[in-house]
Amino acid sequence: MCPSLFDLSLYGNGQGWIKLAEGAYGVVYEVESCMAEPKAVAIKKMNQPQSIYDRCVLHDIFTEITCLEELRLESCVTDLYDYGVDGTSYYIVMKKYAGSLREWRLKQPPQMQDNLSLYLSIYREILKCFKTIHSHNVTHYDIKGDNILIDFKQST
């Protein structure tokens, strides 16, 4: 059993966590932290393998943390607050966003022409973000609307 290298007490000891998303290898939760700022964070939790037949996510975790550290001061990359491991899981603590691009787009009018200039502006900003991460030799292998997180809420 691995010693704990993650202070779960800063995040309610796993209590009151709200599941935001689930992927093939982990779950992302919204969590109230004990920190003054930010109060709400997103925690990606990935289970440690239980046997040699389980997929080991350790390489993926190290890669993700390394990329977030490399791009720490870039505004188009999420803020990394904390990370660690305990006896059962790996954790990455990041900024909590209002939602994803996909969620936002589903709330928009179905006719693209009504907001075409806005959509093209957003597309341009996304391309700038990809240019930034690629300039740091980072390749994102799961680009989709659910993985583009945004800070603003749409009133419609």
Side-chain angles (χ1 to χ4, degrees):
M1 180 114 142
C2 173
S4 182
L5 299 173
F6 185 71
D7 189 355
L8 203 54
S9 70
L10 293 174
Y11 311 102
N13 288 317
Q15 302 299 312
W17 291 20
I18 300 167
K19 186 192 299 188
L20 296 175
E22 187 167 0
Y25 307 113
V27 181
V28 178
Y29 297 92
E30 177 179 352
V31 177
E32 292 295 318
S33 76
C34 294
M35 299 179 284
E37 279 298 318
K39 200 62 182 158
V41 296
I43 297 182
K44 182 187 279 188
K45 179 181 177 186
M46 295 142 291
N47 293 330
Q48 292 182 17
Q50 300 301 304
S51 77
I52 61 169
Y53 302 106
D54 293 342
R55 182 179 185 281
C56 181
V57 296
L58 194 55
H59 175 268
D60 298 332
I61 293 162
F62 279 128
T63 301
E64 186 168 353
I65 291 168
T66 301
C67 291
L68 290 172
E69 288 286 5
E70 169 72 20
L71 296 160
R72 184 175 284 276
L73 299 177
E74 297 292 347
S75 62
C76 65
V77 177
T78 190
D79 294 332
L80 175 66
Y81 299 131
D82 194 7
Y83 52 88
V85 62
D86 67 12
T88 61
S89 303
Y90 303 105
Y91 302 90
I92 300 176
V93 183
M94 300 169 279
K95 179 178 179 175
K96 164 68 177 83
Y97 287 86
S100 70
L101 181 63
R102 180 179 179 273
E103 292 169 332
W104 176 82
R105 178 60 183 104
L106 289 172
K107 294 176 185 174
Q108 303 308 302
Q111 304 79 16
M112 287 194 69
Q113 304 85 337
D114 295 347
N115 287 319
L116 188 56
S117 63
L118 173 62
Y119 299 153
L120 290 173
S121 295
I122 292 170
Y123 182 64
R124 182 178 339 131
E125 291 303 311
I126 292 169
L127 290 176
K128 286 180 189 177
C129 291
F130 290 132
K131 181 179 178 184
T132 299
I133 66 171
H134 288 158
S135 73
H136 288 268
N137 297 315
V138 173
T139 302
H140 194 298
Y141 290 103
D142 196 18
I143 296 170
K144 59 187 177 187
D146 284 325
N147 289 343
I148 299 173
L149 304 174
I150 53 177
D151 276 328
F152 60 91
K153 293 182 181 180
Q154 178 64 22
S155 60
T156 58

